[in-house]
Structures are given as C-alpha cells and as structure tokens.
C-alpha cells in the first residue's frame, strides 16, 4: 500500500468485521464471467475514520496469490454493523475455506493524515445443507428446491442425492464425471416413485454413466437412464456423454430417460452412447429416451444425439426407442447413429424405433438399415448444411455450414 507523507503522524485505519459469511440469493455477475445467483454476505462494521473499502477473497487459508474476487471500491456509509454482499461463486460441493481481505482507504482530503490498512480473516462455506440431509450424503448447500431457488448440483454425490427430492427443482453448476465416484448408476425414479420435478443441466456435462436397471414395475419390467421413470417432469439443457448399459435385461433404456409419463424434454443432447446385449428383454432402446409409455405424451424439442450404437430385441431408435403413436410430439431434433439393430424387422429407426405422426422438423443420418419412415433421412453432407435447418431457432442452435448443429447452452469442458 502507498504511504502518504504529511505534516502530522499518519494513523492506520481500524477495521471491524464479523464472520462467518452466509449465502445470499441475489442475481449477480460472477468474476468468472458466468451468471450466478449466489455469493457471500459479510456482516461488516466500518471504521469511524473512513467510508472507503476494498474487498478481496482468496482461495484457502491465507491471502496469497491472485484473489478469486476483487470488488470495486465500495462506500460503506452506514455506522454500526451492516451487510456487504460479494458475488463469489464459491464451492457448492461441500465445506471450503476462503480468506477475506478488507482494505480501508483514506477519505478524500485525508491522504496525508491516514494510511490505508488491511485485515484478513478466514471463513468456510458449505458447512450446513439446505435440504435437511448431511453434506457427506450429497446434501445440497444452496437453494431450497423451488423453481425460483433450485437446489444446486455440483458433484456426483449431489446428482445421486436428487433421488431424495423427486418433486424438487435442480440447477447443475459444474461438469460431473459420474464414473469417478460410481462404478454403476442406479436410475433416478421408478414406477413407485417417479421423478416429477425440474432438472436444468445448465449446459454442463454429465459423463461416464454405467447404467443399472430400476426396480421392476408390476409386470416385472425394468428401466434405465440418468432418470429411470419421469412423470410430469421437465428435463432441460442436459448434456450427456459416454453412457453404457451394464444389464442386458432392461426394457426401456435411454441415456437421459428410460420411460416417461407426460414429460417435457428440451435442449438436451447425448454423445457416445452404447447399449448392447440383444437378449430377450433388452428392448425399447433410445439414444436419449427409451420409451414413451402407453397413451401419455412425451414432448421433446431442440435435442440431438451423435455416435449412438444400439443393439436390442425390439425397438431401437437413435433419439427415442418407442415413441407414442397417439400423442407424442417431437420438434426440431436430429440423430446421427453409428449403428442400430433389432432382432425384430422394422424396429430399428434412425430417429425413432417406432412412433406416430407428431414429428416436425426432425432429421436423422440416412442408412438403409434404419430408414423406417419416422423423421426425414439426410446424408451427412445435408446434416452439415445450414440450409437443412431453415426455420430452427438460432437463439437455441449454433448452425453453420460444414458441421453438425450444436446447442448454444453447451459449455466447453476444461
């Protein structure tokens, strides 16, 4: 800090602030450039000698290295204790230690009388869950499960913990490699307790899913996916990659969803999906969704799949395995399978394994083995031509010649 010379002795400014910090639910722009609606609130008591302060936050137990957050100079005019909000995108996976540094700056006209002075203190976030479950069990550290304040999902354990709150709302805040924590993934939701909430993947990746099957329904059928069965749910902006099945006896298997009742799926994608087994029971396979149950409605829009390999006993569809023939709706989706096969003739489809008439603006990579009449077949060159996708929403899609369209919500991997 610069020392100011003057005719009298310079006094160090005295700071007073109280910790720990607490979370705040305000919409702010975090330093990383991502929009986040969380931060820390510092109960702060200013010095009587100045109203000018600089707040900085560092990772770890000391103020070393580059700060995670450097706020602009703030004027704290209120005497006594007040709250100062800092837009820090802190660790949402559990307890984490940070160091707060506060520097008091001389008031105008007192530069020759006072010196800037700093104090530091450590604090922790993520000590208490907001959902009533322990942090060790995947309890969430931010949000209350409502649509306005969804639980934040930042780790594989928290993703697994979604099954404890099947009607809540969730927002993913980080890429999640499930395989680093779980060698097998039990789907979220089954016939007895389906998922009926809102899951917003926020464009982050969920990878390395090794799918096991759900609990059987009354007919003994089982389902597999990130979600096993959804009923009245909304699934959006979910990006999946590297998904395989571990059980050859699943009826209704999709990277995102095994089976569905009255569910909406939008702006989702899956890459590198392999479901194999070709047993008597491995059926209704879809790159994204396995089965649209009975006469219920699946509404799927602005989704795509690439590098899909499915080999089953019955329906195998690049996007959806068994699509409802009466009321299912698919809009502005495409599929690029690698291989599709079924032991039943005509049950392998580039877009849908079976389906109905509610298909609008949907395409798939053409191949004589899976041109079953659902959706519009296109060559690779056509699927990499912007002209093919005329009328698709360019606020949602990144469309350019020479490459397959992608979703604008997709976040790059580190």
């Amino acid at each position: 800090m610069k020392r100011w010379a003057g005719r009298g002795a310079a006094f160090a400014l005295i700071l007073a602030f109280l910790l720990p910090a607490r979370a705040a639910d305000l919409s702010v722009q975090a330093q990383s450039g991502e929009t986040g609606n969380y931060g820390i609130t510092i109960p702060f008591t200013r010095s009587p000698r100045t109203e000018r302060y600089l707040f900085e936050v560092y990772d770890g137990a000391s103020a070393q290295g580059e700060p995670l957050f450097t706020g602009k100079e703030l004027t704290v005019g209120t005497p006594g204790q007040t709250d100062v909000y800092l837009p820090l995108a802190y660790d949402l996976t559990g307890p984490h230690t940070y160091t707060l540094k506060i520097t008091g700056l001389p008031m105008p006209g007192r530069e020759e009388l006072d010196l800037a002075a700093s104090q530091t203190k450590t604090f922790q976030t993520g000590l208490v869950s907001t959902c009533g479950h322990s942090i060790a069990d995947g309890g969430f550290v931010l949000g209350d499960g409502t649509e306005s304040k969804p639980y934040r999902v930042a780790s594989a354990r928290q993703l697994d913990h979604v099954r404890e709150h099947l009607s809540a709302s969730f927002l993913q805040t980080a890429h999640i490699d499930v395989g680093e924590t779980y060698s097998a993934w039990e789907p979220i939701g089954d016939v007895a307790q389906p998922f009926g909430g809102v899951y917003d993947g926020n464009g982050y990746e969920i990878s390395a899913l090794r799918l096991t099957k759900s609990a059987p329904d009354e007919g003994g059928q089982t389902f597999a996916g990130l979600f096993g069965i959804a009923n009245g749910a909304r699934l959006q902006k979910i990006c999946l990659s590297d998904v395989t099945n571990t059980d050859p006896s699943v009826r209704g298997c999709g990277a995102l969803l095994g089976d569905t009742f009255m569910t909406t799926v939008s702006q989702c994608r899956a890459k590198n999906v392999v479901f194999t087994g070709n047993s008597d029971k491995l059926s209704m396979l879809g790159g994204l969704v396995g089965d649209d149950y009975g006469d219920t409605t699946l509404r799927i829009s602005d989704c795509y799949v690439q590098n899909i390999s499915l080999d089953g006993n019955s329906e195998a569809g690049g996007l959806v395995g068994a699509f409802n023939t009466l009321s299912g709706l698919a809009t502005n989706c495409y599929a690029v399978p690698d291989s599709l096969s079924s032991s039943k003739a005509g049950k392998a489809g580039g877009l849908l394994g079976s389906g109905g008439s509610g298909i609008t603006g949907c395409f798939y990579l053409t191949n004589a083995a899976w041109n079953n009449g659902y959706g519009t077949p296109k060559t690779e060159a056509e699927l990499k031509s912007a002209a093919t996708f005329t009328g698709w929403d360019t606020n949602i899609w990144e469309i350019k010649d020479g490459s397959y369209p992608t979703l604008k919500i997709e976040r790059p991997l580190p």
Side-chain angles (χ1 to χ4, degrees), residues 266-395:
S266 62
Q267 295 187 62
C268 294
R269 68 104 164 114
K271 293 182 177 181
N272 304 320
V273 177
V274 179
F275 298 148
T276 61
N278 202 17
S279 73
D280 291 341
K281 295 183 179 180
L282 186 63
S283 60
M284 297 184 182
L285 309 179
L288 201 63
V289 178
D291 183 23
D292 179 17
Y293 183 82
D295 60 356
T296 63
T297 300
L298 167 66
R299 299 179 184 275
I300 183 168
S301 61
D302 298 303
C303 296
Y304 77 92
V305 294
Q306 293 177 4
N307 306 116
I308 309 299
S309 297
L310 310 176
D311 179 18
N313 169 261
S314 186
E315 290 91 341
L319 184 72
V320 180
F323 196 62
N324 186 274
T325 58
L326 298 177
S327 56
L329 299 175
T331 307
N332 295 358
C333 299
Y334 78 90
V336 182
D338 284 340
S339 65
L340 301 170
S341 62
S342 170
S343 60
K344 294 183 180 180
K347 293 297 185 178
L351 187 75
L352 312 174
S354 64
S357 58
I359 305 169
T360 304
C362 293
F363 311 104
Y364 64 90
L365 180 64
T366 186
N367 187 302
W370 58 65
N371 289 348
N372 65 351
Y374 300 115
T376 303
K378 295 289 183 180
T379 65
E380 179 179 351
E382 288 173 320
L383 288 175
K384 292 183 177 180
S385 170
T388 298
F389 304 96
T390 299
W392 283 27
D393 190 341
T394 54
N395 292 316

Side-chain angles (χ1 to χ4, degrees), residues 116-142:
S118 299
Q119 284 189 6
T120 61
K121 277 199 175 181
T122 59
F123 64 95
Q124 284 189 302
T125 58
L127 296 173
V128 180
S129 80
T130 61
C131 66
H133 296 82
S134 73
I135 298 295
D137 291 335
F140 308 108
V141 303
L142 188 64

Side-chain angles (χ1 to χ4, degrees), residues 28-95:
V28 300
Q29 189 71 22
Q31 188 183 21
S32 62
E34 299 173 3
T35 299
N37 58 347
Y38 61 97
I40 58 174
T41 300
I42 306 298
F44 178 74
T45 302
R46 71 171 178 84
S47 164
R49 301 183 67 85
T50 186
E51 300 178 1
R52 299 175 58 211
Y53 296 93
L54 181 66
F55 293 81
E56 297 174 302
V57 180
Y58 294 79
D59 191 18
S62 64
Q64 301 294 322
E66 292 295 320
L68 298 176
F69 169 82
T70 301
K72 64 182 180 180
E73 181 186 320
L74 299 177
T75 299
V76 182
T78 305
Q81 184 174 314
T82 188
D83 285 345
V84 176
Y85 176 78
L86 305 180
L88 173 70
Y90 59 85
D91 186 355
L92 295 177
T93 63

Side-chain angles (χ1 to χ4, degrees), residues 145-161:
T146 62
E147 284 200 54
S148 61
K149 296 181 181 179
Y151 289 130
R152 306 312 200 279
V153 178
S155 69
R157 291 198 184 281
Q158 289 175 335
L159 181 63
D160 186 49
H161 193 66

Side-chain angles (χ1 to χ4, degrees), residues 227-253:
F227 296 90
I229 296 182
N231 186 353
R234 190 165 78 244
L235 307 176
Q236 61 195 38
K237 301 178 183 179
I238 301 170
C239 298
L240 299 159
S241 65
D242 187 20
V243 184
T244 60
N245 67 308
T246 62
D247 192 305
S249 61
V250 177
R251 182 186 180 276
C253 184

